[in-house]
C-alpha cells in the first residue's frame, strides 16, 4: 500500500504519469465520473483549510465516490485526547483512503504506520505539503510546457511556508532549475533546506531581500503568505506581514511570459489589481488542484480507467 507523505515518495516517472493522468481528467472528465463508485475518502483535518479539504472532497465526488470526515480538531476525538494512531485505525474501518492535515510535523507519517488504508499528507505543520506541490507542478507544466530550465522566485515566508519546502524538494530533480529566494532575513528558508537540499545537490540559488531585484529574471514568481499561526509572538508577525506586496508597478518589471503563482489563501501579498493581469495564475492553480487530487486518488487506490 502506498501513502503520500512527501513529493519524493513519487519518482520523476511516477510523477510524470500522474500529471499526464491529471491532464487527461481535465480534458475528459466524463470518462472518470464513475471510477470510484462505492469508495469513500475520509478528510481528517486538525487544522483550518478551504482549498485543500474542499478540493479533495470535490475530487472524490467528481470520481463518483463519497466523502466523510472532520474539519477541526475540536470536532474530533482529538479533543478528548485520542492519538492519531488510534484515530486512523478506526477510520481505516470506515473509508478506503484518508487525507490528513495536522499542525504537528510528522503526524500523518505516524498515522500512515498504523493505517490499513492509504494516507495522504495534506499539510503537516511547517514541514511538507505534497499535494500542493503536485498542484504546483501540474500548473507549471500546463502553463509553461516544461518542468526544467526554469528560474523560480520563491517570495515571502520561506521559513514556515511548507508549500515552498515541498516545491523545492520536488523541483530540484529536474535539469537546469534555478531558485531566487526572496525573503526578509528572519524568514529565510531553514538551513536544512539550504544546506542539505540545495547546496548538497548543487542547485544554483540566490537569496535576496528586494522583490524588485529579482523580477526581471523570473519565469515563475511563487508568492506566499506570512504564516501567522506558526509565529511565537504576534509583534513579529505584524512587523513581517506586509513586507511584500506585489502590485501592478512591480509586475511591470517582469517578463511578458512570467507567471505568478500562490498556493492561497492570500492576505495582502498580492494586490487585487494584479488579478486581471494575464500572468496571474493563482486561481487557475486552485482548479488544477482538483484534477491532480483526482489523479492521486485513482493512483493510490490503484483504479485504472480505460
Ligand atoms: C497553504 C498551506 O496550507 O500550507 N494553503 C493551501 O493548502 N493551499 C498555504 C498557506 O496556508 O499559506
Amino acid at each position: 500500500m502506498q501513502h503520500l507523505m512527501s513529493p519524493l515518495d513519487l519518482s520523476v516517472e511516477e510523477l510524470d504519469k500522474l500529471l499526464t493522468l491529471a491532464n487527461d481528467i481535465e480534458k475528459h472528465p466524463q470518462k472518470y465520473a464513475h471510477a470510484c463508485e462505492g469508495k469513500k475518502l475520509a478528510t481528517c483535518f486538525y487544522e483550518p483549510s478551504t482549498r485543500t479539504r474542499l478540493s479533495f472532497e470535490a475530487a472524490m465526488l467528481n470520481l463518483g465516490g463519497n466523502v466523510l470526515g472532520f474539519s477541526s480538531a475540536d470536532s474530533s476525538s482529538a479533543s478528548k485526547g485520542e492519538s492519531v494512531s488510534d484515530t486512523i485505525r478506526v477510520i481505516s474501518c470506515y473509508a478506503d483512503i484518508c487525507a490528513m492535515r495536522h499542525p504537528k510535523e510528522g503526524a500523518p507519517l505516524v498515522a500512515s504506520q498504523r493505517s490499513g488504508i492509504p494516507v495522504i499528507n495534506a499539510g503537516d505543520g511547517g514541514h511538507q505539503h505534497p499535494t500542493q506541490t503536485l498542484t504546483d507542478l501540474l500548473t507549471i507544466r500546463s502553463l509553461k510546457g516544461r518542468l526544467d530550465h526554469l528560474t523560480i522566485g520563491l517570495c515571502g515566508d520561506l521559513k514556515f511556508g511548507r508549500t515552498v519546502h515541498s516545491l523545492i524538494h520536488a523541483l530540484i530533480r529536474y535539469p537546469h532549475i534555478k531558485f531566487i529566494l526572496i525573503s526578509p532575513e528572519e524568514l529565510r528558508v531553514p538551513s536544512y533546506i539550504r544546506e542539505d537540499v540545495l547546496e548538497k545537490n548543487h542547485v544554483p540559488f540566490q537569496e535576496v531581500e528586494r522583490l524588485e531585484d529579482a523580477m526581471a529574471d523570473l519565469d515563475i514568481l511563487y508568492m506566499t503568505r506570512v504564516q501567522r499561526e506558526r509565529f511565537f509572538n504576534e509583534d513579529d508577525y505584524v512587523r513581517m506581514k506586509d513586507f511584500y506586496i506585489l502590485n501592478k508597478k512591480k509586475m511591470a518589471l517582469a517578463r511578458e511570459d512570467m507567471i505568478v503563482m500562490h498556493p492561497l489563501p492570500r492576505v495582502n501579498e498580492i494586490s487585487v489589481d494584479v488579478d486581471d493581469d494575464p500572468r496571474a495564475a493563482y486561481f487557475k492553480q486552485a482548479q488544477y488542484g482538483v484534477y491532480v487530487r483526482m489523479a492521486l486518488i485513482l493512483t493510490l487506490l490503484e483504479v485504472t480507467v480505460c
Side-chain angles (χ1 to χ4, degrees):
M1 186 178 31
Q2 203 186 350
H3 306 285
L4 185 78
M5 293 299 125
S6 141
L8 300 184
D9 292 349
L10 296 167
S11 66
V12 171
E13 292 71 33
E14 286 169 329
L15 207 75
D16 193 53
K17 226 171 120 187
L18 189 111
L19 299 183
T20 302
L21 176 60
N23 284 136
D24 194 60
I25 291 170
E26 177 187 7
K27 278 198 219 99
H28 310 287
Q30 272 315 316
K31 204 168 117 186
Y32 298 89
H34 304 284
C36 283
E37 243 159 37
K39 305 252 188 238
K40 292 190 274 302
L41 164 79
T43 50
C44 300
F45 277 57
Y46 296 85
E47 228 192 19
S49 166
T50 301
R51 261 151 301 274
T52 306
R53 186 170 62 85
L54 296 187
S55 66
F56 259 117
E57 297 191 358
M60 192 47 148
L61 295 173
N62 290 346
L63 293 167
N66 286 302
V67 295
L68 65 164
F70 53 85
S71 56
S72 74
D74 299 345
S75 60
S76 79
S77 283
S79 64
K80 301 181 188 167
E82 187 173 52
S83 68
V84 288
S85 304
D86 282 2
T87 305
I88 196 69
R89 286 181 81 159
V90 174
I91 303 275
S92 299
C93 309
Y94 306 153
D96 301 281
I97 185 163
C98 171
M100 179 180 285
R101 169 169 290 192
H102 204 285
K104 282 213 182 94
E105 287 80 2
L109 177 66
V110 170
S112 71
Q113 289 158 350
R114 287 283 165 185
S115 179
I117 58 175
V119 177
I120 301 166
N121 177 5
D124 62 328
H127 186 219
Q128 296 260 9
H129 193 345
T131 63
Q132 182 63 46
T133 297
L134 299 181
T135 303
D136 299 341
L137 296 178
L138 181 64
T139 306
I140 297 171
R141 205 179 79 158
S142 303
L143 301 183
K144 300 295 292 179
R146 63 184 192 278
L147 289 170
D148 48 29
H149 293 83
L150 291 168
T151 299
I152 300 129
L154 301 168
C155 176
D157 188 346
L158 310 187
K159 179 178 181 185
F160 296 117
R162 56 193 173 196
T163 62
V164 164
H165 304 161
S166 287
L167 188 58
I168 292 176
H169 274 99
L171 277 173
I172 62 158
R173 300 192 290 180
Y174 298 90
H176 299 285
I177 290 292
K178 185 180 160 194
F179 292 105
I180 305 189
L181 305 174
I182 310 153
S183 75
E185 177 66 27
E186 285 131 293
L187 299 179
R188 287 169 70 196
V189 283
S191 55
Y192 82 91
I193 294 202
R194 197 168 33 250
E195 285 148 28
D196 300 346
V197 183
L198 294 169
E199 285 169 4
K200 206 168 167 182
N201 291 290
H202 312 291
V203 178
F205 71 96
Q206 238 176 291
E207 293 187 280
V208 302
E209 197 170 273
R210 279 167 40 92
L211 183 52
E212 292 86 333
D213 295 342
M215 278 311 256
D217 297 324
L218 304 178
D219 295 304
I220 295 163
L221 172 60
Y222 192 97
M223 296 295 294
T224 62
R225 165 182 79 89
V226 176
Q227 306 279 300
R228 180 181 201 160
E229 64 277 34
R230 316 248 180 260
F231 276 68
F232 292 113
N233 88 59
E234 182 72 7
D235 292 348
D236 286 345
Y237 168 72
V238 170
R239 213 158 32 79
M240 293 288 126
K241 74 180 171 64
D242 292 331
F243 204 93
Y244 297 107
I245 299 180
L246 179 65
N247 55 21
K248 272 196 166 152
K249 202 165 146 215
K250 292 191 188 108
M251 285 298 284
L253 304 170
R255 290 191 205 147
E256 280 299 300
D257 64 348
M258 185 196 78
I259 58 168
V260 184
M261 296 174 61
H262 191 309
L264 303 177
R266 134 178 81 183
V267 187
N268 286 329
E269 57 281 355
I270 304 180
S271 154
V272 288
D273 67 15
V274 175
D275 295 358
D276 295 330
D277 189 304
R279 294 169 291 182
Y282 29 94
F283 291 113
K284 261 184 231 157
Q285 192 180 346
Q287 174 66 61
Y288 283 123
V290 179
Y291 305 134
V292 93
R293 289 184 173 96
M294 289 170 74
L296 180 65
I297 292 170
L298 290 173
T299 305
L300 296 182
L301 288 179
E302 299 177 18
V303 175
T304 45
V305 177
C306 310

